[in-house]
Amino acid sequence: MPEAPWWHRTTVYQVYPRSFADSDGDGIGDLPGLLGRLDHIVALGVETVWVSPFFPSPQEDFGYDITDYTGVAPEYGTVADAQTLIDAAHARGLRVMFDLVLNHTSDQHPWFLRSKGSRSNPRSDWYIWADGRGRNGRRPPNNWRSNLEVTSAWQWSAERQQFYLASFLPFQPDLNYRNPAVKDAMFAAVRFWLDRGVDGFRLDMFGQIMKDPGLRDNPFRPHVDTGFPRGWRRVYTENTADVITFARELHAVCAEYGDRVLLGEVFGPPETLRGLHAEGAGLDLVFLFDFLVFRYDAAWFADTIRRFEEAFPPPMQPTYVIENHDRSRCIDRVGGDPAKAAVLAVILLTVRGVPTVYMGQEIGMSNTYVPLRQALDPIAARYFRRLPEVVNRRIPERLNRDEVRSPMQWDASGNAGFCPPDVRPWLPVNPDHTHVNVAAETGVAGSLLELYRTLLTTRRDSPALNSGTLELVSGLPADVLGFRRTDAASGEQCATFANLGRTAQTVRAVGSVAMAACGGAMAERGDLHLPPDAAIVVRRERVAYDTMDS
Ligand code: BGC
């Protein structure tokens, strides 16, 4: 059997650079700051670091609106700093992924400034332009909605007297990849970073990259997609067949450099995601966002894991994510209870596939309340502020994203060690940093940070946990989630049991030895004792695993 690629068994840590570590005292995190904190990531035991965008940008969407794909924004450092970061990470055995925002640029990108200037300049068809409808041509060309669904995806350009497509926010015009010159320009930027040694890319909004060239209307059919209510089925704007063709071409560019990984941000039902991830379809990994809207419930996790095990059987790797820079911190979804956050960590880091940990998740950082009227996040500032149900905070999915981007909490000092105490950080530091921080949790038995370290290093060293098959354990008490992990080559067998209920449970598991535990879970004389909100990971030592069921 050929050796599986490195990314089959990796673990990913997401750094939002603006909020990670500020090295020069301007209140904004930067690449040298990240470099200075690389050892935290190494000590955590993760194997890959994914860095959110740090390229030149007007920062209207904090880096997801790019004006130069081969530069570094001055507040983050220089290209030389990016190179140093890649090299330093490699020297420590870490892989590095950058964030590739292909779908759109900033409306300040020189390409767009040129494109909107006239209908006949060399960049005129680098973006998706169309005439409007109606007698005066001022009705959008079709019914396509922006991702937030509250507005049309079409924006009027007075200069060009035409509409341009902006699937996300109006200042992020979509590129036209049906123009080969656009693809060439972007692939040159991709090669620029591959030449510098980057190990792969997280692909922003990748499912939306190729739209229907005929601009057909999407059918109106309300549904819910990864927690978001949606009105239109995006059959002509998302996950079209051409997306796979594009992914293959991008994959071929990466293949020129060997074993580089493409991790897609794509949305849709498991079958669709599987299509994008299937052998030869171009995307090596695709995010599965269902955990972002988890119910703290054993049956919910069992069903979700079962669905993705069916859709992504080995050697495919499900890529689970429970927090990121766009959605609520997971601890806020469980009433701020660190015991429940610990159970979630055990599930995330021992389930089959590639887990992603968002900076600060490992210490139990919570959402930092920022009133909507002070929001910097363009979604919150432009749209959510006006929606009454959001103002009343009834839709947790529609939060002000500033709340999950507050500075990383390194210690109890002023500004949490993110920037000097006398500097104003770009977003407020969470007041709980006095006790929720890396320094306070380091070396403390039972802390969330030490649990993450144990789980990540245990997983790294255990073939069953990092590459074994998964089988859900049946016949357990209703509130207990259980799954076995088996590595056929080494014969190692492990299992995870998590009690998400309110009463203590005991599970029979003769011959099992604890590898990691939280919430007071224990293995003792053939029994696993699981108090409420407790979980344990065990390795089978002596007896056949079929005695593991209760
Ligand atoms: C990123 C967001 C960003 C958007 C537009 C996303 O899905 O995760 O942070 O605002 O794409 O680029």
Side-chain angles (χ1 to χ4, degrees), residues 61 64 104 168 202 204-205 265 325-326 401 405:
D61 190 18
Y64 286 92
H104 48 261
F168 201 70
R202 175 261 185 190
D204 190 69
M205 279 179 61
E265 185 196 34
H325 63 296
D326 292 331
R401 295 182 300 173
R405 299 171 178 183

Side-chain angles (χ1 to χ4, degrees), residues 51-67:
V51 191
S52 282
F54 47 78
F55 314 104
S57 157
Q59 306 294 348
E60 280 192 85
D61 190 18
F62 300 104
Y64 286 92
D65 49 329
I66 296 172
T67 50

Side-chain angles (χ1 to χ4, degrees), residues 151-316:
T151 57
S152 165
W154 294 98
Q155 301 296 325
W156 178 251
S157 159
E159 246 172 297
R160 195 162 140 155
Q161 293 288 302
Q162 258 188 327
F163 284 92
Y164 64 88
L165 188 70
S167 297
F168 201 70
L169 291 169
F171 55 80
Q172 290 159 312
D174 287 27
L175 282 161
N176 173 19
Y177 283 100
R178 298 195 183 274
N179 179 342
V182 175
K183 226 186 276 178
D184 289 349
M186 206 50 104
F187 288 175
V190 170
R191 288 192 180 92
F192 177 89
W193 292 113
L194 290 169
D195 281 335
R196 280 157 184 76
V198 75
D199 297 286
F201 300 97
R202 175 261 185 190
L203 304 170
D204 190 69
M205 279 179 61
F206 193 74
Q208 285 165 274
I209 207 135
M210 299 301 281
K211 295 88 180 168
D212 178 40
L215 307 186
R216 280 173 283 181
D217 278 347
N218 279 327
F220 181 73
R221 252 185 300 148
H223 65 290
V224 174
D225 189 0
T226 326
F228 277 110
R230 303 230 178 257
W232 288 263
R233 289 261 169 213
R234 305 199 217 160
V235 294
Y236 295 122
T237 47
E238 192 162 5
N239 303 330
T240 61
D242 296 342
V243 171
I244 293 184
T245 312
F246 186 93
R248 285 200 184 110
E249 291 173 79
L250 183 59
H251 199 268
V253 173
C254 290
E256 293 165 17
Y257 292 81
D259 224 3
R260 313 291 170 107
V261 69
L262 292 176
L263 164 54
E265 185 196 34
V266 284
F267 298 89
E271 320 74 76
T272 308
L273 302 183
R274 178 198 161 97
L276 291 160
H277 176 49
E279 188 61 36
L283 298 187
D284 301 305
L285 298 169
V286 295
F287 277 125
L288 306 177
F289 291 119
D290 292 53
F291 276 19
L292 287 175
V293 289
F294 68 84
R295 267 203 347 255
Y296 189 79
D297 175 273
W300 185 90
F301 276 103
D303 281 354
T304 307
I305 293 168
R306 182 178 301 110
R307 271 196 301 129
F308 287 117
E309 278 299 309
E310 280 166 18
F312 293 78
M316 289 179 156

Side-chain angles (χ1 to χ4, degrees), residues 487-531:
D487 176 59
S490 64
E492 190 194 23
Q493 293 185 339
C494 299
T496 293
F497 294 92
N499 180 5
L500 288 81
R502 291 187 183 172
T503 46
Q505 304 286 355
T506 301
V507 172
R508 191 88 187 123
V510 176
S512 293
V513 171
M515 301 166 90
C518 67
M522 273 187 320
E524 205 182 37
R525 280 182 251 117
D527 282 334
L528 304 180
H529 298 286
L530 297 167

